[in-house]
Amino acid sequence: MQINEQNRHTQAAAASAASGTRARSQAEIDQGLRAFMLGVYNNMVIGLAITGLVALGTYMLATTTAPDGSLALTSFGAAVYTSPLRWVLMLSPLAFIFFFSFKIETLQPRTALIMFFAFAALMGISMSSIFLVFTGQSIVQVFFITAAAFGSLSLYGYTTTRSLSGMGTFLFMGLIGLVIAMVVNIFLASSALAFAVSVIGVLIFAGLTAWDTQRLKEMYLFNNFDAATATKASVMGALSLYLNFINMFQFLLMLLGNRE
């Protein structure tokens, strides 16, 4: 009897210890996930700040006030906005994304982060022309509208228990169709098609925001990342969410922005 009693105490102690180990492991997972997602959002916000500051700085360097009080381009502005260099600035971010995606596995974490911030600066130069087209007030208003929508969608993607994996294929097919429609409209210059493209673009990148957030969460939970891999994954995650934010902002600006 005494031996059986001791065995029961031993088994109870072992069960309690195992339960404590599982609890600590789950706590560590939750803490690691919070740190990972916080790193993703921090990098994304810094990238957006760099883009905004570089865009504003480029616009200020590219424009001046003419003697009659109108806005005129400086020599730098003429090179950026009217010379063949503008096509290089427009297409280089796309080339940068492909290069970055293929090289991310071989890059050091710090190098990957620096490259992401350099890409954000390049995007700032490319996007600086919006200050020539839209009023400053409407740009600010649309930015905050985009931030509110992005925050809500990302929170939904992080907290929902519903799997959004099925949306991925549908959204990427829609994205390909969107790009084709945008290229076609370069030649057609149809205002109706441009409006439809903007509406569909907002919907696609809204869906991608929620989908990418859930994908990043699950990627961390189902992979045993070391510190270096987690850092690079957070940079790639920041790039994905950054692109969703930027594209949603641009399409909303086309819909809601007041033109100069």
Side-chain angles (χ1 to χ4, degrees):
M1 289 291 293
Q2 187 175 3
I3 293 175
N4 289 338
E5 188 69 24
Q6 289 175 346
N7 286 339
R8 283 197 295 271
H9 283 301
T10 301
Q11 291 172 358
S16 177
S19 177
T21 301
R22 285 195 296 271
R24 283 195 300 271
S25 298
Q26 186 60 48
E28 289 172 358
I29 291 172
D30 291 341
Q31 183 179 4
L33 176 61
R34 285 193 295 270
F36 173 76
M37 294 303 295
L38 184 61
V40 170
Y41 289 121
N42 283 343
N43 290 334
M44 186 201 76
V45 170
I46 294 172
L48 289 173
I50 291 172
T51 298
L53 291 173
V54 171
L56 182 59
T58 301
Y59 166 75
M60 293 175 68
L61 290 173
T63 58
T64 186
T65 303
D68 61 357
S70 62
L71 193 67
L73 293 178
T74 63
S75 57
F76 173 75
V80 170
Y81 299 136
T82 63
S83 75
L85 178 62
R86 64 175 178 163
W87 295 107
V88 176
L89 294 174
M90 288 174 60
L91 298 175
S92 55
L94 183 61
F96 195 102
I97 291 172
F98 284 117
F99 175 81
F100 192 68
S101 300
F102 284 120
K103 286 292 186 179
I104 185 65
E105 296 297 332
T106 61
L107 295 175
Q108 294 295 320
R110 183 175 179 82
T111 304
L113 187 60
I114 292 173
M115 287 186 66
F116 169 61
F117 291 153
F119 168 76
L122 186 61
M123 281 294 295
I125 299 174
S126 179
M127 291 182 62
S128 62
S129 59
I130 65 173
F131 291 100
L132 295 174
V133 180
F134 299 96
T135 64
Q137 182 180 4
S138 67
I139 291 173
V140 172
Q141 289 175 342
V142 172
F143 175 83
F144 282 110
I145 291 172
T146 306
F150 178 91
S152 300
L153 291 162
S154 190
L155 180 63
Y156 171 76
Y158 186 84
T159 58
T160 184
T161 57
R162 176 187 176 186
S163 175
L164 303 179
S165 58
M167 293 174 54
T169 303
F170 175 77
L171 290 171
F172 279 110
M173 290 176 61
L175 184 59
I176 292 172
L178 182 70
V179 172
I180 293 173
M182 291 173 66
V183 172
V184 169
N185 203 40
I186 292 176
F187 303 98
L188 296 180
S190 168
S191 58
L193 182 57
F195 178 81
V197 163
S198 297
V199 172
I200 295 171
V202 170
L203 295 176
I204 287 176
F205 285 103
L208 284 173
T209 297
W211 180 80
D212 271 326
T213 303
Q214 187 179 79
R215 177 183 62 84
L216 291 169
K217 178 183 177 181
E218 292 178 347
M219 182 178 66
Y220 180 86
L221 292 175
F222 296 124
N223 290 278
N224 188 19
F225 287 147
D226 56 28
T229 306
T231 300
K232 289 193 288 186
S234 72
V235 173
M236 284 300 296
L239 175 62
S240 297
L241 294 181
Y242 168 92
L243 290 173
N244 292 339
F245 187 102
I246 288 293
N247 282 287
M248 197 190 309
F249 167 74
Q250 289 181 314
F251 284 121
L252 281 173
L253 192 61
M254 294 295 293
L255 289 173
L256 306 176
N258 296 321
R259 297 178 180 270
E260 292 280 11

